[in-house]
Amino acid sequence: MAYFSIIVPVYNRLEEVRDLLESLSQQTSRDFEVVIVEDGSTSPCRAAVDEYADAVDVHYYYKENEGRSLARNYGMERASGEYFLFFDSDCVIPPTYIATLRQSLAEHYSDCFGGPDAAHESFSDTQKAINYSMTSFLTTGGIRGGKVQLEKFVPRTFNMGFSRDVYKRVGGFREMFSEDIDMSTRIRRAGFSISLIRDAFVYHKRRTNLRLFCRQIYVFGMSRITLYLLYPDSLKLVHWLPAVFVVGVVAMVVLAVLLSWMWILPLAAYLLAIFATALASTRRLKVAALAVPASVIQLGGYGIGFLQSFVWKVVLRHGRNIEQEIAIRKGK
C-alpha cells in the first residue's frame, strides 16, 4: 500500500490532467497512488487516466457535480494511503517532489504541510506574470510560501497534505470559497502541527489570461470576509493591503486630476518596483511588462472584492449566517 494518496478534483480539465499524470509518471519515488475525482464534467478526463494506467497507480471516479471540496472528500473516503496530498488539476509536479516530501517528513514530521508554487519554463508569458503577481512579496506579502512573510503560512490545496489522523479528527473540506484556508485553520485549532516545506514546490499554471485571473482574484477577496465571519481573529493587516491599494489609487488619481500630476508619483514608483523585481526574478522583459497589469489586477481585484463583501456582510449586515451559507452550498 502506498504511503501517499494524491487526490485531485477535476472539472472539464482533460489536457491539464494529462500533463499532471505525465509529471507524476516521472517521479523518482513511487510511494503514492493517485485518486482522480471527476466532479460531473461534461468533458471527462477518463481517456487521459487510461493513457497512464500502466505508468501510475491511478484510480478514477466519476460523480455528480457538487463542487471541488466535496470531490476531495469523496476521494479521501476511497483513498488507501496514510497521508493525503492535494494538487489542483492545473499543476505539474517536479520529478523529485515525492522523494523530497518523504525525506522531509521523515526528518521533521508534520501533521499537515504546504509547499510553494512556481512557473515552469514551458508556461506562457502571461502565466509567468500571473505567478509573479501571486508570489511576490510586493503583491501578496509572501503569504503563499515566500521567504519573507507578513502572515503565518497557510497551506493551499494546489500543494497541500495532511495525515489520515487529521482527516479522522477534523473531517473533510467544507464547500465554500477559500476552503483550503478554512481547512488549515481548523487543523491548526485542533492542535495539529503545520509546516511549510519550501523544497516541495509545484509548477502551477493558474489562469491562462488576465480576464479569468481577475474574476478568480475578485472571488478570493470576497471569500476573505467569509473567513473573517467564521474566524474573527483570522483577519490580519496583510489582508487589508489590497483594499488600501484600491482606495489609495483612487485617491491619487483624483488628487492628480484636481491638484497636481505629482500625486501619481507614488503609484508610478510602486509599479516600477514591480517591473524591476519581476525582471530580476524572471529575466524576461515581456514577463516583467505583463507582471505590472497582472499585479494591478491581483491587488485591485482582491481589494474590490474584499471591500464590497466587507461593506455588504459586515457594515450593512446583509450577509446570511455564514454557517447557513456553507450548508446551502452543500445542498442541505
Side-chain angles (χ1 to χ4, degrees), residues 140-143 148-154 156 181 224 234-236 238-239:
T140 61
I143 64 176
V148 180
Q149 297 174 256
L150 292 180
E151 184 202 19
K152 186 179 293 185
F153 173 72
V154 178
R156 263 75 166 187
I181 302 177
R224 174 50 63 179
S234 69
L235 193 61
K236 308 299 183 183
V238 66
H239 304 133

Side-chain angles (χ1 to χ4, degrees), residues 117-138:
D117 60 337
H120 192 270
E121 181 58 34
S122 65
F123 290 1
S124 71
D125 290 337
T126 299
Q127 288 173 315
K128 291 175 182 177
I130 289 174
N131 181 268
Y132 166 86
S133 74
M134 291 295 288
T135 57
S136 170
F137 178 79
L138 287 178

Side-chain angles (χ1 to χ4, degrees), residues 64 68 104 109 131 159 173-174 185 221 236 297 314 320:
E64 64 177 279
R68 58 184 179 267
S104 180
Y109 182 79
N131 181 268
N159 185 10
F173 293 90
R174 299 202 279 193
T185 303
K236 308 299 183 183
I297 289 172
V314 179
R320 285 189 294 257

Side-chain angles (χ1 to χ4, degrees), residues 3-4 14 55 58 94 113 123 127 141 150 152 163 168 177 189 191 205 221 224 243 266 268 278 280 289 301 330:
Y3 182 70
F4 295 111
L14 171 62
V58 58
F113 88 97
F123 290 1
Q127 288 173 315
L150 292 180
K152 186 179 293 185
S163 68
K168 288 179 179 178
F177 296 125
R189 291 190 171 198
K205 296 178 183 176
R224 174 50 63 179
K330 287 182 177 180

